[in-house]
Amino acid sequence: MIKMTEKTRAFLKRYLPETLNAVHPNDILDPLYDLIDYQGFDDNYDYNDFGVEAQEVYDDIYYSNRKKKE
């Protein structure tokens, strides 16, 4: 099971519902990266509001599921 907050789950349900049954974090991170690249920037290549929110979702999934060194 992929760890994520409820806020992240709600974002995915709205924008990438096909990823909710993913088995591996990269099955979410890869399409999320594409979504950020496609609609997460303004004309100056700075994050827009959507990009900021999507990057927070990306960070939540990445950091909540990375393997920690012992």
Side-chain angles (χ1 to χ4, degrees), residues 2 6-7 9-10 21 26 30 36-37 39 42 44 51 53 56 60 63-64:
I2 299 173
E6 286 303 316
K7 182 178 177 183
R9 188 173 305 283
N21 294 322
N26 282 347
D30 291 342
I36 293 168
D37 193 40
Q39 68 184 77
D42 64 18
N44 296 318
E53 183 180 8
E56 289 172 357
D60 174 41
Y63 288 112
S64 295

Tab-separated table of all heavy atoms in Angstrom, residues 2 6-7 9-10 21 26 30 36-37 39 42 44 51 53 56 60 63-64:
chain	number	residue	atom	x	y	z
A	2	ILE	N	0.536	2.195	-0.812
A	2	ILE	CA	1.299	3.433	-0.911
A	2	ILE	C	0.801	4.405	0.153
A	2	ILE	O	-0.396	4.651	0.275
A	2	ILE	CB	1.163	4.027	-2.321
A	2	ILE	CG1	1.727	3.040	-3.342
A	2	ILE	CG2	1.856	5.372	-2.401
A	2	ILE	CD1	1.507	3.433	-4.765
A	6	GLU	N	-4.595	12.265	3.259
A	6	GLU	CA	-5.938	12.358	2.667
A	6	GLU	C	-6.004	13.489	1.646
A	6	GLU	O	-6.713	13.389	0.641
A	6	GLU	CB	-6.993	12.554	3.764
A	6	GLU	CG	-7.271	11.289	4.557
A	6	GLU	CD	-7.714	10.125	3.675
A	6	GLU	OE1	-8.558	10.313	2.762
A	6	GLU	OE2	-7.213	9.011	3.880
A	7	LYS	N	-5.266	14.575	1.888
A	7	LYS	CA	-5.224	15.683	0.935
A	7	LYS	C	-4.641	15.209	-0.401
A	7	LYS	O	-5.155	15.552	-1.465
A	7	LYS	CB	-4.391	16.828	1.510
A	7	LYS	CG	-4.330	18.038	0.630
A	7	LYS	CD	-3.529	19.155	1.278
A	7	LYS	CE	-3.414	20.331	0.333
A	7	LYS	NZ	-2.592	21.409	0.861
A	9	ARG	N	-4.628	12.071	-1.477
A	9	ARG	CA	-5.595	11.143	-2.065
A	9	ARG	C	-6.716	11.907	-2.785
A	9	ARG	O	-7.131	11.538	-3.895
A	9	ARG	CB	-6.175	10.236	-0.978
A	9	ARG	CG	-7.042	9.118	-1.515
A	9	ARG	CD	-7.459	8.141	-0.433
A	9	ARG	NE	-6.340	7.576	0.294
A	9	ARG	CZ	-5.533	6.618	-0.150
A	9	ARG	NH1	-5.728	6.105	-1.340
A	9	ARG	NH2	-4.554	6.151	0.604
A	10	ALA	N	-7.187	13.001	-2.186
A	10	ALA	CA	-8.246	13.798	-2.807
A	10	ALA	C	-7.760	14.439	-4.113
A	10	ALA	O	-8.504	14.487	-5.103
A	10	ALA	CB	-8.724	14.873	-1.834
A	21	ASN	N	-5.121	3.052	-7.530
A	21	ASN	CA	-4.897	1.634	-7.255
A	21	ASN	C	-3.465	1.198	-7.557
A	21	ASN	O	-3.190	0.008	-7.686
A	21	ASN	CB	-5.876	0.779	-8.063
A	21	ASN	CG	-7.297	0.988	-7.615
A	21	ASN	OD1	-7.559	1.140	-6.432
A	21	ASN	ND2	-8.217	1.023	-8.561
A	26	ASN	N	6.197	4.899	-7.916
A	26	ASN	CA	6.518	5.450	-9.234
A	26	ASN	C	5.358	5.359	-10.213
A	26	ASN	O	5.322	6.100	-11.194
A	26	ASN	CB	7.755	4.778	-9.828
A	26	ASN	CG	9.029	5.317	-9.226
A	26	ASN	OD1	9.021	6.346	-8.545
A	26	ASN	ND2	10.120	4.627	-9.447
A	30	ASP	N	5.335	9.113	-11.775
A	30	ASP	CA	5.610	9.354	-13.195
A	30	ASP	C	4.486	10.149	-13.878
A	30	ASP	O	4.759	11.180	-14.505
A	30	ASP	CB	5.887	8.053	-13.932
A	30	ASP	CG	7.208	7.417	-13.527
A	30	ASP	OD1	8.068	8.120	-12.948
A	30	ASP	OD2	7.384	6.207	-13.777
A	36	ILE	N	2.423	17.858	-13.815
A	36	ILE	CA	3.060	19.095	-13.366
A	36	ILE	C	3.734	19.790	-14.554
A	36	ILE	O	3.600	21.003	-14.739
A	36	ILE	CB	4.073	18.820	-12.241
A	36	ILE	CG1	3.362	18.345	-10.978
A	36	ILE	CG2	4.915	20.068	-11.945
A	36	ILE	CD1	4.289	17.780	-9.914
A	37	ASP	N	4.450	19.024	-15.349
A	37	ASP	CA	5.139	19.579	-16.509
A	37	ASP	C	4.154	20.184	-17.506
A	37	ASP	O	4.419	21.221	-18.114
A	37	ASP	CB	5.970	18.482	-17.174
A	37	ASP	CG	6.963	19.015	-18.182
A	37	ASP	OD1	7.582	20.063	-17.913
A	37	ASP	OD2	7.132	18.367	-19.225
A	39	GLN	N	0.818	21.293	-16.913
A	39	GLN	CA	-0.041	22.410	-16.521
A	39	GLN	C	0.340	23.068	-15.202
A	39	GLN	O	-0.449	23.817	-14.640
A	39	GLN	CB	-1.506	21.985	-16.503
A	39	GLN	CG	-1.909	20.988	-15.438
A	39	GLN	CD	-3.354	20.577	-15.602
A	39	GLN	OE1	-3.682	19.780	-16.474
A	39	GLN	NE2	-4.225	21.106	-14.772
A	42	ASP	N	3.589	28.764	-15.084
A	42	ASP	CA	3.068	29.950	-15.763
A	42	ASP	C	3.955	30.287	-16.963
A	42	ASP	O	4.864	29.534	-17.301
A	42	ASP	CB	2.932	31.125	-14.786
A	42	ASP	CG	4.269	31.593	-14.217
A	42	ASP	OD1	5.336	31.272	-14.786
A	42	ASP	OD2	4.244	32.305	-13.192
A	44	ASN	N	6.282	32.326	-17.241
A	44	ASN	CA	7.679	32.583	-16.868
A	44	ASN	C	8.370	31.330	-16.344
A	44	ASN	O	9.454	31.417	-15.774
A	44	ASN	CB	7.755	33.694	-15.823
A	44	ASN	CG	7.258	35.014	-16.352
A	44	ASN	OD1	7.551	35.376	-17.474
A	44	ASN	ND2	6.489	35.722	-15.554
A	51	GLY	N	0.573	24.055	-9.880
A	51	GLY	CA	1.893	23.445	-9.791
A	51	GLY	C	2.386	23.324	-8.361
A	51	GLY	O	2.997	22.317	-7.996
A	53	GLU	N	0.496	23.057	-5.655
A	53	GLU	CA	-0.285	21.993	-5.022
A	53	GLU	C	0.155	20.615	-5.515
A	53	GLU	O	0.332	19.684	-4.723
A	53	GLU	CB	-1.771	22.196	-5.305
A	53	GLU	CG	-2.654	21.187	-4.633
A	53	GLU	CD	-4.133	21.394	-4.907
A	53	GLU	OE1	-4.491	22.246	-5.743
A	53	GLU	OE2	-4.939	20.684	-4.272
A	56	GLU	N	3.429	19.554	-3.994
A	56	GLU	CA	3.242	19.106	-2.614
A	56	GLU	C	2.766	17.656	-2.575
A	56	GLU	O	3.197	16.864	-1.742
A	56	GLU	CB	2.251	20.011	-1.887
A	56	GLU	CG	2.800	21.383	-1.581
A	56	GLU	CD	1.761	22.343	-1.032
A	56	GLU	OE1	0.559	21.975	-0.934
A	56	GLU	OE2	2.153	23.475	-0.697
A	60	ASP	N	4.808	14.529	-1.001
A	60	ASP	CA	4.188	13.665	0.003
A	60	ASP	C	4.367	12.199	-0.372
A	60	ASP	O	4.798	11.387	0.454
A	60	ASP	CB	2.698	13.995	0.143
A	60	ASP	CG	1.976	13.035	1.075
A	60	ASP	OD1	2.545	12.665	2.127
A	60	ASP	OD2	0.834	12.654	0.758
A	63	TYR	N	8.360	11.273	-0.295
A	63	TYR	CA	8.988	11.186	1.027
A	63	TYR	C	8.290	10.198	1.959
A	63	TYR	O	8.934	9.629	2.832
A	63	TYR	CB	9.070	12.570	1.680
A	63	TYR	CG	10.105	13.433	1.011
A	63	TYR	CD1	9.734	14.545	0.268
A	63	TYR	CD2	11.454	13.111	1.086
A	63	TYR	CE1	10.681	15.330	-0.368
A	63	TYR	CE2	12.414	13.886	0.452
A	63	TYR	CZ	12.019	14.997	-0.272
A	63	TYR	OH	12.965	15.757	-0.904
A	64	SER	N	7.019	9.955	1.767
A	64	SER	CA	6.306	9.006	2.618
A	64	SER	C	6.603	7.559	2.256
A	64	SER	O	6.324	6.652	3.033
A	64	SER	CB	4.795	9.233	2.518
A	64	SER	OG	4.453	10.500	3.033
